[in-house]
Amino acid sequence: MKQKELYNVAVLGATGAVGQEMIKVLAERNFPIAKLRLLASARSAGKTVSFAGQEIVIEEACDAAFEGMDIVLGAAENDIAKRFAPAIKAAGAVFVDNSSAFRLDPDVPLVVPEINPGDALQHNGIIANPNCSTIITLMALAPIARISPIETLVASTYQAVSGAGAEGLAELEAQAEAYPKGEPLTAKTFPHQILFNLIPRIGGVGENGYSSEEMKLQNEGRKILHLPELRVTCTCVRVPVMRSHSISATFTTKRPVSVEEARAAIAAAEGVQLVDEPNSDVYPMPLDTSDQDDVFVGRIRRDLVSENGLTLWCCGDQIRKGAATNAVQIAELLVK
């Protein structure tokens, strides 16, 4: 992409939760925009969104809409991403896509800017944004992986309802309002009531018994960390939390890494905060990590099972660092 002072940027899927957050983050980070084009379905076309003191009219997504664009931030579903990727590339734009459509394509970089920024520059017109839980987990683990490669990971994710979009938020809010009134609690977005409950499945379950969401941590983690032999076992759980995902991670490294080394590495790393004073009730929590970009890491301790093992707990806002902010950071790599 030719270097400029200002860039024409489009957001595909501009009316969804991630798309709206992308618009917000572009403004917050003062991305060098000449023109911003907001694209969505026909039913949203004609509505307006405020950006940098002006009202921008949402347009219906079509092939011609990408002409003249330099960067397209994708916040739409897989089928939409696949539908428009050829037109985006034909227009000469770089497609930074938040869907899972291209994440495991060997010709498409999968990038977390604090971890593997150089991969972004090897693109062929498409750069994939990783899964939200993958980003949050790897932000916590990458500082330690720089000391010694990670060989195995056992993780459990505690994923907020906003991971299912605006509908997930609305469903938990509706159930919370209905419960004290004694009204029926209806479940549409989730297969069961989410209020006062945990649902231990996110995504379809494959032949190996793991869900699609659970396999992402291994498959994407291998690509981002450049560790093709990384072995991961994961359980993903939907929890009645509005925003910010949490992950419990137990992992082994090639050589032993002390708790002190791990704490120091995390404290010095970009984009993460060491929040680890459990005796004073100071540890990462969803409420503290919502609506900001850092991943909080704490409860760092020696694993009692594996000689080379450590355990930690981390939390991060999956709409921001887990999606929108990470995508904008990738775009920033392109324009630097």
Side-chain angles (χ1 to χ4, degrees), residues 24-97:
K24 179 180 175 182
V25 173
L26 285 168
E28 287 178 357
R29 297 176 73 92
N30 294 314
F31 194 86
I33 293 177
K35 180 178 182 179
L36 180 63
R37 181 169 287 168
L38 304 181
L39 305 174
S41 64
R43 66 177 178 272
S44 296
K47 298 178 181 178
T48 61
V49 173
S50 296
F51 178 81
Q54 57 181 316
E55 294 295 316
I56 299 179
V57 178
I58 295 173
E59 304 173 43
E60 181 178 358
C62 63
D63 289 352
F66 304 104
E67 294 177 5
M69 295 295 104
D70 298 304
I71 298 170
V72 177
L73 301 179
E77 299 297 328
N78 287 16
D79 57 340
I80 302 298
K82 291 178 179 178
R83 158 73 178 82
F84 288 115
I88 294 169
K89 292 180 68 174
V94 180
F95 187 22
V96 182
D97 180 36

Side-chain angles (χ1 to χ4, degrees), residues 111-166:
V111 176
V112 180
E114 294 90 344
I115 300 174
N116 61 330
D119 291 1
L121 305 182
Q122 309 302 316
H123 70 83
N124 291 309
I126 302 175
I127 302 172
N129 213 33
N131 171 260
C132 50
S133 292
T134 298
I135 292 174
I136 294 165
T137 305
L138 295 191
M139 284 292 292
L141 298 184
I144 300 167
R146 295 186 190 107
I147 300 172
S148 179
I150 293 173
E151 296 186 328
T152 66
L153 168 62
V154 179
S156 293
T157 72
Y158 304 80
Q159 298 185 211
V161 294
S162 52

Side-chain angles (χ1 to χ4, degrees), residues 202-224:
I202 303 175
V205 177
E207 293 183 358
N208 63 357
Y210 287 81
S211 74
S212 56
E213 186 79 2
E214 289 160 351
M215 293 306 301
K216 289 174 183 176
L217 188 52
Q218 173 172 281
N219 296 337
E220 297 180 18
R222 288 175 170 178
K223 189 171 180 179
I224 295 163

Side-chain angles (χ1 to χ4, degrees), residues 6 11 21 80 102-103 157 165 168 222 243 276 297 311:
L6 297 174
V11 177
E21 200 73 23
I80 302 298
F102 305 103
R103 288 176 186 161
T157 72
R222 288 175 170 178
R243 185 160 172 165
D276 195 18
V297 186
T311 293

